[in-house]
Every structure is written in C-alpha cells, then in structure tokens.
Amino acid sequence: MALTREQLAQRVAQEFRDGYYVNLGIGIPTLAANYIPENISVMLQSENGLLGMGPFPLEQNVDADLINAGKQTVTMAEGASLFSSAESFAMIRGGHVDLTVLGAFEVDVNGNIASYMIPGKLIKGMGGAMDLVAGADNIIVTMTHASKQGDSKLLSQCTLPLTGKACIRRVLTDLALLDIEGGRFILRERAPGVSVAEIRALTAGELVIPDRVPEMTF
C-alpha cells in the first residue's frame, strides 16, 4: 500500500542525525518537522530567515508572523534565531546545511531533478531550490513514484526543465526508498505491502534490485 504524506514525512525524518542542520522544502518535507526522533537534536533551517524551526503549532499557539518558506505558520525551538533571508542563503550557499529534503516532479538516473516548472501550469516557482541543490551535498527527494495518470516520475532522463544536475543521491517515494548510483536507481526499501514487481513496473529508469529488499519500518 502506498505511503501517506504523513508516513513519507515520518520515514524521511529517520534520515536525520544528531546535530544536523536540516532544510525542509515546501510540501511533504515540511511535515517531517513533526516526526523528529526523540533521541536526537536537529536544527531546522528555513530560507526565509529562521534557524531552529519547531513543529507546526496548535491552533491556540498560532503566531501569524512566524512562518516557514511555504508561508505556513510554525513554532520556534529552544535556541532558535531569526535573521535576514540574505544570511539564510549565505548558510545554504556556503555548504553549512547538513541535509536538504526537497519535493520534485521528476528525478532521473543521473541524479538530475526537475522541481519548479511544468509548462502550461501555474506553479509557485523556484523558491530556494536552485541554491539548495547547488549548496548541499546531502539531498533527499520525497515525491510520489508516479503521476495521477500512472506515468513514472523516476526516469532515464528528466523531461521537464531542470532545477539541478547530478545532485540527488536518494529518493523516497510513496512506494520505495531508492539510492542513485552509477546511472541507476538502487532499490533499498519498499513500502509495507508493496511488491518489488509493482515498483519495477512504475520505474522508467534503470532499476537495480538487490537480493533482499526489506519493508520500511516506522
């Protein structure tokens, strides 16, 4: 069974490590703020000028002036700081973010990512994604494995305008966790109840299937 948005966020939060500075992109990635493992400490960075972003607020704690890059209201963790977006992008461009989690429309076997434009459709735009993919060495993409029409989003070559080239190493979809190595997708984990055959059928790019592919745990 395909993962829900919340399960995707929960699984990607398992990639956090103690002491990491993490940037969460718009969409599913922002939900990961609610699932940080209790035994670690991470600082969430938002390109609009916040370091130390906390989970989404309860209704009674909403502060309309405190938002993330996607204009959602957020909270501040202990030790958080506020600063200009120029300083925030200096952190990103300087390589000071340990992990970036982004959404995408397409990813291909060469680690290229298309995430900001679909010709003929109104999309929010690039945002900070181009800086994030250029300034971070460790990027995870969260996305659906296929479109609503059943077309694969994991391709041999992206068809949409690129956000960045050869920058993606790991992809978490609603069906699987995959690494990108040597111009191929490597299947690492599968969603509970999802078969390897289903994943193979919906992966257009070359897919390597190890002898053992465990189900994800939460």
Side-chain angles (χ1 to χ4, degrees):
M1 185 175 181
L3 300 182
T4 64
R5 289 169 57 89
E6 287 72 22
Q7 287 174 318
L8 278 166
Q10 189 176 356
R11 177 60 188 86
V12 83
Q14 294 178 19
E15 301 293 308
F16 298 170
R17 299 293 178 264
D18 192 42
Y20 265 14
Y21 292 91
V22 180
N23 182 285
L24 301 176
I26 294 171
I28 293 170
T30 59
L31 298 176
N34 293 328
Y35 297 102
I36 298 172
E38 293 182 359
N39 60 332
I40 68 170
S41 175
V42 301
M43 292 291 277
L44 301 179
Q45 192 254 16
S46 181
E47 58 257 38
N48 61 320
L50 170 60
L51 181 65
M53 186 168 55
F56 289 114
L58 299 173
E59 186 175 354
Q60 63 268 27
N61 297 325
V62 168
D63 179 350
D65 292 324
L66 188 60
I67 59 174
N68 62 18
K71 298 181 175 59
Q72 297 167 303
T73 53
V74 294
T75 60
M76 293 174 63
E78 184 176 354
S81 59
L82 299 168
F83 36 83
S84 72
S85 60
E87 290 174 294
S88 186
F89 276 97
M91 291 180 190
I92 293 167
R93 294 167 184 161
H96 303 295
V97 175
D98 297 298
L99 174 65
T100 294
V101 185
L102 295 174
F105 301 132
E106 296 175 347
V107 173
D108 69 27
V109 295
N110 295 309
N112 300 325
I113 176 175
S115 66
Y116 80 99
M117 180 182 179
I118 299 177
K121 291 189 176 182
L122 181 63
I123 306 295
K124 287 186 177 181
M126 179 70 73
M130 186 172 285
D131 295 271
L132 286 162
V133 298
D137 290 328
N138 189 7
I139 304 169
I140 299 175
V141 167
T142 60
M143 60 191 294
T144 56
H145 209 97
S147 69
K148 293 179 180 178
Q149 292 73 38
D151 298 320
S152 178
K153 295 183 178 182
L154 277 67
L155 307 175
S156 297
Q157 184 175 349
C158 288
T159 63
L160 297 172
L162 296 183
T163 307
K165 291 185 176 182
C167 54
I168 307 303
R169 300 179 182 178
R170 176 161 277 200
V171 182
L172 174 65
T173 77
D174 56 343
L175 302 182
L177 177 70
L178 309 100
D179 287 329
I180 300 175
E181 299 176 4
R184 301 179 297 179
F185 293 113
I186 314 294
L187 182 58
R188 299 301 187 195
E189 297 178 10
R190 53 194 173 88
V194 173
S195 70
V196 169
E198 289 175 277
I199 296 166
R200 183 192 290 113
L202 289 172
T203 305
E206 184 178 354
L207 178 65
V208 175
I209 302 171
D211 292 336
R212 181 176 178 273
V213 181
E215 288 190 351
M216 297 177 195
T217 57
F218 298 94

